């Protein structure tokens, strides 16, 4: 099940307003510990997450800046199967900020995919 999709933006206010005009509901607007603006918009069952970068600021870490996050069941068993199938694991199993098991992998096109243990 899709949790969220994350993107980098140069204008957080404009992008949040755009998705609100499309029927989204802005759920969060904060500054991360690294100093990036972060906004979350709920669109139906899923969420879009945006990290604001500007000017000469360094790009956010690719693990969390632009990625797709999905819930999966049995992540501890799935991760070794993915490795055996040649999937590039870019961040090993660890607790997420919410305490769930989490890992990052690349899809066949090289996109970051965050895997989170489902309830």
């Amino acid at each position: 099940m899709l949790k969220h999709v994350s993107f980098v933006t140069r204008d957080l206010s404009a992008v949040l307003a755009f998705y609100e005009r499309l029927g989204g509901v802005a759920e969060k607007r904060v500054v991360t510990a690294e100093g990036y603006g972060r906004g979350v918009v709920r669109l139906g069952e899923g969420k879009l997450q945006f990290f604001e970068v500007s000017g000469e600021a360094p790009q956010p870490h690719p693990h969390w800046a632009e990625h797709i996050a999905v819930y999966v069941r049995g992540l501890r068993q799935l991760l070794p199967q993915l490795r055996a199938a040649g999937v590039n694991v870019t961040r090993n199993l660890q607790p997420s900020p919410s305490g769930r098991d989490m890992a990052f992998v690349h899809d066949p096109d090289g996109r970051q995919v965050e895997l989170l243990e489902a309830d």
Side-chain angles (χ1 to χ4, degrees):
M1 174 190 332
L2 181 68
K3 180 180 187 280
H4 66 258
V5 180
S6 293
F7 298 102
V8 171
T9 181
R10 296 225 178 264
D11 189 340
L12 186 58
S13 294
V15 79
L16 293 177
F18 172 81
Y19 285 102
E20 286 179 309
R21 281 193 289 282
L22 298 181
V25 176
E27 291 189 340
K28 187 179 288 187
R29 183 165 182 166
V30 299
V31 175
T32 68
E34 300 84 8
Y36 299 103
R38 176 177 171 246
V40 178
V41 176
R42 177 173 293 284
L43 280 172
E45 297 295 319
K47 294 181 182 181
L48 299 176
Q49 175 172 253
F50 298 93
F51 292 95
E52 185 174 48
V53 297
S54 59
E56 298 175 23
Q59 290 292 309
H61 194 284
H63 280 142
W64 53 262
E66 294 202 342
H67 67 276
I68 300 164
V70 295
Y71 289 115
V72 297
R73 297 202 183 281
L75 180 56
R76 287 180 181 270
Q77 294 75 35
L78 178 61
L79 204 54
Q81 295 169 6
L82 292 173
R83 274 195 181 97
V87 172
N88 183 23
V89 176
T90 61
R91 193 170 183 183
N92 288 317
L93 191 70
Q94 63 186 48
S96 73
S98 66
R100 296 173 187 266
D101 280 347
M102 169 186 77
F104 279 79
V105 299
H106 278 154
D107 78 3
D109 288 325
R111 281 179 289 270
Q112 287 284 344
V113 179
E114 177 184 0
L115 304 175
L116 290 154
E117 182 63 42
D119 287 333

